[in-house]
Amino acid sequence: MAGRLEGRIALVSGGLRGIGRAVCEALGAEGAFVYVTDLDAPDAADVGAMIAAQPAARYIRLDATSEQAWQDARAQVEREQGHLDILVNNVGADLTGKVQDLKLEDWRRLITLNLDTVFLGTKTFQPLLAKGGAATPYGSSIVNISSIMGIVGMGEVSAYNASKGGVRLFTKSNALEFADAGVPIRVNSVHPGFVDTPLLRKGFDAWAARTGSTADEMIAAMAETTPVRRLAQPGEIGKVVAFLASDDSSYMTGSEVVVDGGWTAR
């Protein structure tokens, strides 16, 4: 039985670990050919493991903060495929701390990683996505990974709030821009809650070091404040992205899909 994305071509930024890897796996499971991009060298162990597990995939080393790197990736995809059907802008990092303690260079780095990369991916691949969208019933699909912190605020994560809130509204603006102009690209954002990834644990390690707590204690407390009483697994986010990439979400553009175990429902 063919998957929902059989014959579709996808590119995922930050695709080697955490949510990005789960997205690549979910798209591949639905039949897509996936360009996995990240900063690792092509001969790195994680790259080999990903490609071995997902034969219908190809790796591109991509510094998502570099416009030239995005253009090089587009040239490769255009040369090999001629178009793109799915773009998942997933690259991201976190930054915590009281606003008066944040360094400007750290703020700028976070905005670059979390917001500029979404802009660059969208701008660079828009022509190939428009071409792919013209050949599919409901257009091509851009899925931007935001966060519940792009919807609600939290103390000591102002930089992350700002960056992910920017992703949320950039998504809506692009969705309207393309729809109003008749460009066959749908654009939606996914807003995960607390997901058990290496990035989350690294962030809690840094936060715990300032508070005298431990990362495990903070993660347990976060799970306790989530109505379903647990953190999400990356695969649970990947499946939502696969839905938004497919024709099953044909009437969705400019939407924000919250996947947070009920956290923002309170």
Side-chain angles (χ1 to χ4, degrees), residues 2 8 20 24 40 42 55 64 69-70 114 118 120 128 132 138 141 152-153 161 180 194 207 216 229 251 261:
R8 304 286 171 91
C24 292
D40 295 45
W70 276 106
N114 288 2
V118 178
L120 288 172
L128 292 189
Y138 302 109
S141 175
V152 297
N161 278 145
D180 289 345
F194 300 100
W207 204 342
D216 285 342
R229 297 296 190 270
Y251 203 59

Side-chain angles (χ1 to χ4, degrees), residues 109-148:
R109 176 179 178 276
L110 191 76
I111 297 297
T112 296
L113 286 168
N114 288 2
L115 186 54
D116 291 0
T117 59
V118 178
F119 160 71
L120 288 172
T122 302
K123 173 187 177 181
T124 305
F125 274 96
Q126 189 271 358
L128 292 189
L129 287 161
K131 187 175 180 180
T136 57
Y138 302 109
S140 57
S141 175
I142 297 175
V143 183
N144 297 323
I145 307 300
S146 181
S147 167
I148 56 172

Side-chain angles (χ1 to χ4, degrees), residues 10-16 33-42 47 51 57-63 69-70 72-80 125:
L11 185 142
V12 180
S13 67
L16 281 182
F33 181 93
V34 183
Y35 284 94
V36 182
T37 76
D38 218 308
L39 275 173
D40 295 45
V47 174
I51 301 305
R58 183 162 299 170
Y59 181 72
I60 299 176
R61 186 184 185 280
L62 171 66
D63 175 359
W70 276 106
D72 292 345
R74 180 185 65 191
Q76 179 174 340
V77 173
E78 185 169 22
R79 182 173 64 252
E80 295 176 352
F125 274 96

